[in-house]
Amino acid sequence: MGTRVRFEPQGIEIEIKHAVSLLDAARRAGVSVRTRCGGKAGCLMCKVNVDGEERVLTPPSSPEQRKLGVVSTQGLRLACQVRVSGQEGLITVTVPEDPLKALVRRQLAERHNDDSLW
Ligand code: FES
């Protein structure tokens, strides 16, 4: 049995049996994580929130520590820098909503509310 990785809010769970980056795990699960730098810790667009068993995660890389100021394996991490070991365990990864999608969703909700006044 490998590492179970649960992605929220999508509610998708996959099992990882060999070490991969969290970004690759998300791609395998069909979960979209924004990137621009190709996984070089340059764009900071792949920020996710990680929670669960620390022993299945690599500690923060030097670029993560420098750019995010993180010192813990959990909490805010760069998906391109975290590696999941594939050992037995469970982690939950919360992927923030794409800002453009969030804006469109808010505007549609506001429009719906305005229409209901008439
Ligand atoms: S993909 Fe750019 S910082 Fe992770």
Side-chain angles (χ1 to χ4, degrees), residues 5 15 31 42 44 61 65 67 72-73 89-90 112 115 117-118:
V5 182
E15 186 174 331
V31 172
L44 305 183
S61 65
Q65 290 179 23
K67 296 192 174 187
S72 170
T73 55
L90 171 66
H112 176 75
D115 289 347
L117 293 176
W118 298 95

Side-chain angles (χ1 to χ4, degrees), residues 35 37 39 41-44 46 80:
T35 68
C37 69
C43 67
L44 305 183
C46 67
C80 68

Side-chain angles (χ1 to χ4, degrees), residues 3-7 12-14 16 22 84 90-91 93:
T3 307
R4 288 183 301 140
V5 182
R6 182 168 181 79
F7 291 95
I12 297 172
E13 188 172 307
I14 63 167
I16 299 295
L22 207 45
V84 181
L90 171 66
I91 60 169
V93 180

Side-chain angles (χ1 to χ4, degrees), residues 14-110:
I14 63 167
E15 186 174 331
I16 299 295
K17 293 190 175 179
H18 304 287
V20 293
S21 73
L22 207 45
L23 188 59
D24 287 336
R27 287 178 177 150
R28 285 186 195 176
V31 172
S32 175
V33 174
R34 297 183 324 132
T35 68
R36 186 172 287 162
C37 69
K40 296 183 172 69
C43 67
L44 305 183
M45 293 177 76
C46 67
K47 286 187 256 182
V48 294
N49 198 54
V50 181
D51 191 22
E53 297 176 46
E54 292 185 25
R55 63 186 170 77
V56 301
L57 301 168
T58 54
S61 65
S62 298
E64 269 189 298
Q65 290 179 23
R66 219 177 24 256
K67 296 192 174 187
L68 294 181
V70 294
V71 291
S72 170
T73 55
Q74 300 192 23
L76 194 63
R77 301 287 306 268
L78 294 177
C80 68
Q81 299 296 301
V82 183
R83 289 189 69 82
V84 181
S85 70
Q87 297 173 325
E88 187 172 347
L90 171 66
I91 60 169
T92 301
V93 180
T94 304
V95 180
E97 186 176 22
D98 181 292
L100 183 59
K101 284 184 183 171
L103 177 65
V104 170
R105 189 177 44 71
R106 275 197 307 273
Q107 287 179 341
L108 288 173
E110 286 172 15

